[in-house]
Structure formats: structure tokens, C-alpha cells
């Protein structure tokens, strides 16, 4: 009997130590302490022993039973804890926000100026309108009072597209967005339309693709005074200068009557351009009252509606504001230039925060 007790202890403890799952532990329990288990059989055998022998054997068998049930329980707890630890590791969720890496990219000066334009004009009640870069002849020219034989067409250095449908061009200005806005909705209208335009021209101050912003206001009583005030308000906000002087020179555009070219007063102090005052002049845009024929082409009665339009080179504005000298640098994708002139991605222009960085 004493050998049986020691042998069973050793066997079952070894089995327990080898058990790697809760099911294996349970199998050891059933084999030792279950109804047909080895230890249970020993306990039963006690009853059949003569009294003297039983007194000697009983405490040892009882002790074995208690030791084994304690060992089984301990092994069970160890395995459960290990299983939980594994599960916690596998299902771990990082609830903390990742620290964003230092942004590598930057906002291109053109995008920045477009954002500034949208911000300034939104404050004046203008919506942002868009049109396609591949335009048809009618929207780009004819509807704007530039009929097929008009000499103004030659000035546009137009890129014509081959293939069908015929008459497609890369828009030479943002003015066709005026047409699309007037044919697409009823006045009153107040929009700006920034975007890419294309002309076959390339030197230090011309690139085949560049950017313009178009402005259009149509209402019943809109006049040149509104145009001048709007442009002054815009230029003041854009350059962050209060003593802005605008000079409106008579000019000609087929789609406006009267037409003006607008110069902004500036000075060249120490070779650097300063907007403000009237020491010198820089042309910044073309504008005028929308030609009655353009209104009529869009289905608006010129006796009822009138308004102003303007068109302005965005690249030019950026160069003036940020002191860049060569237009081609805008399109070189030179990282050093972009890092020098670019803007931080989260640095969004707001009127309250100021336009000038
Ligand atoms: N579309 C003209 C150009 O590209 C610019 C322009 C002039 C637009 C006068 C206008 C305007 O809206 O009124 O040269």
C-alpha cells in the first residue's frame, strides 16, 4: 500500500506537470480522483482493510487525495492565467493616438494663394465655381463675344485638341466659367473661379500652363463702383496693406464694356517690391462690366441684369506676394524651392489669422 501511494503521487504529479491544457488537467483529475480513479480505488480499499492496517494507511491516502486536488487546482489556475495572458497579448489594442510623424510635404504657393482667394472672397459673399479644363470653342470664345474671325483669338495662343468632337480647346482663360455659371443658374450671381489655364507660350514670365482666378457679379444695379471697391478690398486683404491705391486704365476685352486694366500702386525699396503708395504701378488684372452680348448669349436680358467681371493671374499674385522671380520655378517640383517657399500643411489661411504668413 505505501508503495502504491508514493507511486501514484509521483505518476499523477508528473502527468499534471506535463498537462498543457485545461482538458489534460481534467483528464488527470478523472484518472486519479474520479469515480473510477486510482486514488478513489485506494480510498475504497481502506474500507475492506483490517482495522489496524486501516488506521495506519488512511491518513496517507487522505493526504494523497488532498495533495493531488490542490495540485490539480494549482495547475488549472496556472494554465488559465497563461491562456489569459496569451489572449490579452493577441487581442491587445493600442488606445493611444499614434504620434504623427513630422509632415514631409508642404502646400504649394499656388494652392496657398487659391485658398487665400477663396477665404477673402467667401467673406464678401462669393461662392467658388469650377469649369472643365477641356473646353469647347463656344464657351471659351464665341459666348464671350469672341466670334471665329475675331483677332482676339490669335492673342490666346490656343492649344486645339485633335479628334472628336471637333472644336475642343484647352481653356485659355477662366472666363468660360462665367458662361457656365450664367447658363447654369439665375442671378444674382457672385462667384470666383480659380483654376488652370493653358497657352502655347514659354519664357521666364510665361508657362504653357498657369493659373487664373475669374470673378463674376451679376445683379440688377451692380456698377463699376462695386467693382473698384471689391478689388480694393481684395488687394488690401491679400497683401495685408491698408494704403492700397488702384489705378483703372481704359482697355479692351471683347467680353466687357467698358473694360479696364487694373494697376496696383507699389514701390521698389532696396530692390524689393512693396505694395502700397503710388510711386510705381504694377498691372495685376483685367476687368470690366459684362458685355450685354455676353449676357444675352447666356439667356439673360441685358435690360434687367448687369454686372462686373475680372480675371487675374494667380501665379503673378503669388510672385508679387512672396517675392519669387521666375515663374518656371512653380512647376519645377524642386524640393529645395518648395521647402523654402512652401507652406505647412496645417497652416490654413484665415481672415482672422491674417493672410500673410
Ligand atoms: N480672360 C482675360 C485673359 O485671360 C482676363 C479677363 C479680363 C477676365 C477682363 C475678365 C475680364 O473677366 O473682365 O486675358
Amino acid at each position: 500500500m505505501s508503495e502504491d501511494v508514493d507511486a501514484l503521487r509521483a505518476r499523477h504529479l508528473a502527468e499534471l506537470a506535463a498537462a498543457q491544457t485545461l482538458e489534460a488537467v481534467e483528464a488527470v483529475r478523472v484518472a486519479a480522483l474520479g469515480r473510477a480513479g486510482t486514488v478513489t480505488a485506494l480510498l475504497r480499499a481502506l474500507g475492506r482493510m483490517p482495522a489496524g492496517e486501516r488506521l495506519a494507511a488512511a491518513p496517507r491516502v487522505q493526504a494523497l487525495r488532498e495533495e493531488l486536488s490542490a495540485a490539480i487546482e494549482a495547475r488549472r489556475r496556472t494554465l488559465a492565467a497563461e491562456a489569459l495572458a496569451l489572449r490579452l497579448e493577441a487581442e491587445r489594442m493600442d488606445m493611444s493616438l499614434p504620434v504623427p510623424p513630422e509632415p514631409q510635404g508642404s502646400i504649394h504657393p499656388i494652392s496657398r494663394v487659391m485658398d487665400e482667394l477663396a477665404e477673402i472672397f467667401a467673406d464678401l459673399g462669393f461662392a467658388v465655381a469650377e469649369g472643365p479644363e477641356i473646353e469647347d470653342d463656344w464657351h471659351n470664345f464665341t459666348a464671350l463675344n469672341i466670334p471665329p474671325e475675331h483677332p482676339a483669338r490669335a492673342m490666346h495662343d490656343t492649344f486645339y485638341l485633335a479628334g472628336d468632337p471637333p472644336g475642343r480647346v484647352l481653356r485659355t482663360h477662366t472666363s468660360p466659367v462665367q458662361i457656365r455659371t450664367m447658363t447654369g443658374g439665375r442671378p444674382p450671381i457672385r462667384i470666383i473661379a480659380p483654376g488652370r489655364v493653358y497657352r502655347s507660350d514659354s519664357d521666364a514670365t510665361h508657362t504653357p500652363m498657369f493659373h487664373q482666378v475669374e470673378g463674376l457679379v451679376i445683379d440688377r444695379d451692380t456698377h463699376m463702383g462695386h467693382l473698384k471697391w471689391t478689388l480694393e478690398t481684395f488687394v488690401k486683404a491679400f497683401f495685408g496693406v491698408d494704403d492700397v491705391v488702384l489705378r483703372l486704365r481704359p482697355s479692351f476685352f471683347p467680353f466687357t464694356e467698358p473694360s479696364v486694366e487694373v494697376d496696383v500702386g507699389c514701390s521698389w525699396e532696396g530692390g524689393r517690391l512693396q505694395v502700397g503708395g503710388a510711386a510705381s504701378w504694377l498691372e495685376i488684372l483685367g476687368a470690366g462690366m459684362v458685355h450685354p452680348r455676353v449676357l444675352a448669349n447666356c439667356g439673360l436680358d441685358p435690360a434687367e441684369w448687369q454686372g462686373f467681371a475680372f480675371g487675374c493671374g494667380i501665379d503673378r499674385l503669388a510672385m508679387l506676394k512672396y517675392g519669387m522671380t521666375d515663374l518656371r520655378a512653380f512647376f519645377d517640383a524642386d524640393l529645395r524651392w518648395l521647402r523654402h517657399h512652401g507652406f505647412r500643411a496645417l497652416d490654413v489661411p484665415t481672415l482672422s489669422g491674417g493672410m500673410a504668413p
Side-chain angles (χ1 to χ4, degrees):
M1 165 66 86
S2 80
E3 293 80 47
D4 280 1
V5 169
D6 289 338
L8 279 182
R9 173 188 293 111
R11 190 176 111 204
H12 288 314
L13 289 180
E15 284 169 358
L16 268 185
Q20 293 305 320
T21 62
L22 291 175
E23 293 75 46
V25 173
E26 178 61 8
V28 176
R29 190 195 65 78
V30 170
L33 307 179
R35 215 177 300 161
T38 52
V39 179
T40 311
L42 277 186
L43 283 167
R44 284 214 191 93
L46 287 178
R48 295 190 296 271
M49 283 178 186
E53 243 178 82
R54 188 194 312 147
L55 265 176
R60 298 186 60 234
V61 180
Q62 297 288 8
L64 173 62
R65 190 181 68 164
E66 258 145 54
E67 187 185 343
L68 282 180
S69 32
I72 287 166
E73 194 43 41
R75 185 76 187 133
R76 204 179 260 147
R77 253 185 266 123
T78 307
L79 286 177
E82 276 174 20
L84 181 63
L86 276 178
R87 207 173 137 208
L88 285 176
E89 186 59 35
E91 294 176 11
R92 175 151 64 187
M93 193 188 279
D94 184 357
M95 304 292 279
S96 59
L97 266 181
V99 179
E102 187 64 19
Q104 291 296 304
S106 60
I107 302 293
H108 194 281
I110 298 289
S111 305
R112 165 74 185 206
V113 169
M114 286 190 181
D115 288 346
E116 292 177 2
L117 291 168
E119 174 70 12
I120 294 170
F121 279 101
D123 195 52
L124 302 178
F126 285 65
V128 172
E130 285 183 319
E133 289 173 28
I134 296 178
E135 261 301 3
D136 54 68
D137 196 274
W138 189 78
H139 284 93
N140 196 79
F141 292 122
T142 308
L144 285 161
N145 199 29
I146 314 176
E149 303 315 320
H150 198 286
R153 287 200 176 202
M155 287 161 47
H156 279 228
D157 302 308
T158 311
F159 286 113
Y160 292 91
L161 270 70
D164 279 335
R168 288 175 309 159
V169 300
L170 292 181
R171 69 177 178 189
T172 56
H173 49 179
T174 42
S175 301
V177 185
Q178 290 187 32
I179 305 301
R180 292 190 175 272
T181 305
M182 286 188 277
T183 53
R186 298 289 300 167
I189 289 169
R190 259 187 251 173
I191 57 112
I192 58 164
R196 295 191 184 108
V197 299
Y198 302 83
R199 290 186 199 179
S200 179
D201 206 351
S202 187
D203 59 40
T205 52
H206 296 89
T207 49
M209 188 274 282
F210 57 106
H211 302 82
Q212 285 188 339
V213 59
E214 196 76 12
L216 177 68
V217 171
I218 303 288
D219 211 326
R220 293 178 195 279
D221 311 306
T222 306
H223 54 70
M224 288 287 274
H226 295 127
L227 167 65
K228 192 170 185 224
W229 179 87
T230 303
L231 294 177
E232 260 168 20
T233 305
F234 157 61
V235 172
K236 278 182 193 170
F238 183 74
F239 289 104
V241 176
D242 267 339
D243 77 327
V244 161
V245 189
L246 290 188
R247 184 171 76 176
L248 274 58
R249 272 182 294 110
S251 184
F252 172 80
F253 300 103
F255 32 88
T256 43
E257 181 57 38
S259 301
V260 290
E261 275 176 312
V262 179
D263 302 334
V264 60
C266 63
S267 62
W268 294 91
E269 271 163 31
R272 203 179 146 76
L273 176 81
Q274 286 268 275
V275 171
S280 187
W281 300 100
L282 248 171
E283 185 193 323
I284 55 166
L285 54 86
M289 297 303 293
V290 178
H291 198 292
R293 222 175 276 153
V294 174
L295 294 169
N297 287 341
C298 297
L300 297 180
D301 180 359
E304 195 181 345
W305 302 106
Q306 60 184 29
F308 65 77
F310 60 88
C312 179
I314 291 183
D315 314 75
R316 188 82 190 278
L317 283 182
M319 289 171 80
L320 290 179
K321 180 162 176 178
Y322 299 116
M324 298 147 177
T325 45
D326 192 335
L327 184 58
R328 291 169 293 196
F330 282 118
F331 310 103
D332 281 347
D334 181 335
L335 261 186
R336 293 163 304 174
W337 187 87
L338 283 169
R339 292 215 169 106
H340 181 66
H341 286 295
F343 298 91
R344 289 166 53 86
L346 299 177
D347 203 5
V348 179
T350 59
L351 280 177
S352 53
M355 289 292 137

